[in-house]
Amino acid sequence: MSSSAAAAVLTAADLPEAIRAVHALLDIADIGQGEVDFEAVIRSPDVLAHVRQVLPDLAWWASAGKEHGSSEAGDDPADCLPIRVLDWGRPLDRAEPFIAAPGPEAAAVRWDLDAWPAVPEAGLEAISQKYAYLTLSVNSRDLYQDEPSQDHTVHVHARDRNGDQIARVHWLADHVGGRFTGRVETAAYL
């Protein structure tokens, strides 16, 4: 298991603004073999229907615990609401349909990047895929949807290598018209 530090660089009331920031960051990153992961807690049948249109074979389990229902057991998610969705390794083109699917519910999309490139003029070395991620928290300010809100937060992930993490976060925030808020969360991955 590894982890990265996720720094909030932009919080926007307008979802299209947050998505524009994500696109600007993806234009900087190496995404040749990138993928996206999705996470959400789904509470309503309507939201479940929208999410299943985007991810018909989504991986999920009942919020009360897997013993109360899961995709692994072949249960019907509509009978087990609320459910937790954690779906990994999807193609990049699935991100925006998923962003729209939860409507007002909190969700997160994480882009697994190939790398954050070196930025010689800023003294930054490349950061490998193991620590290069980007997350958009929709209707939430944190990575895990524990702080639902009506705005959306963009987080950049990086590993502190040679003390350049904060410099990289500031550099990336500047490129999307944001600013490093000082908020950093640990993101653990299997």
Side-chain angles (χ1 to χ4, degrees):
M1 182 148 108
S2 64
S3 63
S4 65
V9 297
L10 179 81
T11 297
D14 181 48
L15 185 55
E17 179 185 350
I19 292 170
R20 278 190 298 278
V22 166
H23 283 286
L25 291 167
L26 291 173
D27 287 345
I28 293 168
D30 178 354
I31 59 170
Q33 303 214 359
E35 357 179 272
V36 290
D37 306 326
F38 309 108
E39 185 173 340
V41 175
I42 299 174
R43 294 173 174 79
S44 80
D46 289 340
V47 169
L48 176 61
H50 291 292
V51 170
R52 289 188 86 183
Q53 287 176 350
V54 176
L55 300 170
D57 58 339
L58 69 118
W60 65 272
W61 63 93
S63 290
K66 285 187 177 182
E67 65 276 6
H68 297 280
S70 72
S71 55
E72 289 175 358
D75 298 313
D76 182 350
D79 295 335
C80 303
L81 295 173
I83 63 168
R84 189 146 194 72
V85 172
L86 185 57
D87 205 86
W88 294 63
R90 296 292 182 152
L92 294 174
D93 67 352
R94 302 313 308 144
E96 289 197 45
F98 183 81
I99 291 167
E105 302 265 350
V109 177
R110 187 184 79 217
W111 287 260
D112 301 340
L113 311 172
D114 291 340
W116 287 118
V119 184
E121 65 274 14
L124 302 174
E125 297 177 9
I127 293 181
S128 74
Q129 151 186 34
K130 186 173 181 181
Y131 299 101
Y133 303 98
L134 169 63
T135 299
L136 172 59
S137 297
V138 179
N139 299 313
S140 178
R141 292 202 175 161
D142 69 310
L143 294 176
Y144 303 105
Q145 302 89 53
D146 293 328
E147 295 180 44
S149 68
Q150 294 183 349
D151 49 26
H152 320 284
T153 302
V154 177
H155 308 266
V156 294
H157 303 239
R159 180 180 70 158
D160 194 9
R161 185 173 173 187
N162 301 326
D164 72 352
Q165 176 190 11
I166 298 301
R168 181 174 307 278
V169 167
H170 283 285
W171 188 84
L172 291 168
D174 288 347
H175 278 75
V176 296
R179 65 176 182 77
F180 175 43
T181 65
R183 181 181 181 148
V184 178
E185 295 178 71
T186 299
Y189 309 108
L190 300 174

